[in-house]
Amino acid sequence: MPLNAQQLNTATFAELLADTHHTAVHLEMRDVYAVGDEAEDFETFLLTGVPNLDPARSFWPQWMPLVEDAVARGVVMRRARIVSEPVTDYIRYEHAITPLNLQAGEGVRWLPRRRASDIALPGNDFWLLDDRLVQFHHFTGTGDWAPDGKERTTDPAAVALCHAAFETVWERGIPHEKYTVQAH
C-alpha cells in the first residue's frame, strides 16, 4: 500500500525507496560535499590517492542493500552529477568510489557544468521517486547537511521541473565508464 501524505513527510529514505516501484533518480550539483559519514574515507583518499572500495566500510553497508533491493524489485536507479572542470578534490574522490554505486545497480553519468548552462535546474540536489515525490537536499556553504537537510514535496510543478532537469542532464551526461576527471 502506498504511503499517505503524512507518511511521506515522516518516512525514512529507506522507507520511501521501499515504496518506490519504477524509478529513483538523483541529481547532484555541488562540487564539494562535507558530510560526516564520508570524512574519514575522503581524508585517506586525499593522503593516498587510493579510494576505499570496500562495500563493508563507511556508509556503503547501509546504502548498497537499499539499492540492490530496489533494483531487484525492478526500480531503475540513476544518478547524474553536474561538475565544474577542472574538478575539485572531492569530485575526484566521488568519481573514484562510484564503482560501488555501479556495483549496487545504479546508473551514473557526469555532465560538465559548461554543458548545463541552458538547463532549467532546481536550486538544490534532489531525489525524484516514481515521478511523484521530490526530496530536496539542503547543505551548508561548506557542504555539510543543513539543520533542515531534507524537504519533500509532491507539488506537480516541482516534480515536473525535477523530471525535466534530470532527464536533460542524463541525456547530455557522460556514462561513468567514459568520463575522465580533469584535475587541476
Side-chain angles (χ1 to χ4, degrees), residues 60-174:
W60 296 107
Q62 292 79 38
W63 182 246
M64 291 185 75
L66 293 178
V67 175
E68 291 164 348
D69 177 65
V71 170
R73 289 184 290 106
V75 176
V76 176
M77 292 192 68
R78 298 179 293 159
R79 180 183 300 256
R81 295 173 172 142
I82 299 173
V83 296
S84 299
E85 292 179 323
V87 300
T88 62
D89 287 339
Y90 181 83
I91 295 300
R92 281 190 318 106
Y93 160 75
E94 196 171 52
H95 187 271
I97 64 171
T98 295
L100 290 172
N101 294 92
L102 300 173
Q103 179 182 326
E106 290 183 69
V108 179
R109 292 191 181 177
W110 303 81
L111 182 65
R113 193 170 308 280
R114 70 182 179 282
R115 294 179 52 198
S117 296
D118 62 343
I119 303 172
L121 298 168
N124 296 290
D125 292 8
F126 65 85
W127 276 97
L128 175 60
L129 306 175
D130 281 344
D131 283 332
R132 66 180 170 83
L133 172 70
V134 178
Q135 176 173 288
F136 290 109
H137 291 177
H138 300 289
F139 297 93
T140 64
T142 59
D144 201 356
W145 287 108
D148 61 342
K150 295 175 179 75
E151 173 188 355
R152 295 176 181 160
T153 183
T154 56
D155 175 66
V159 167
L161 171 66
C162 291
H163 174 86
F166 183 87
E167 293 304 329
T168 303
V169 170
W170 186 260
E171 179 182 308
R172 293 183 190 180
I174 301 164

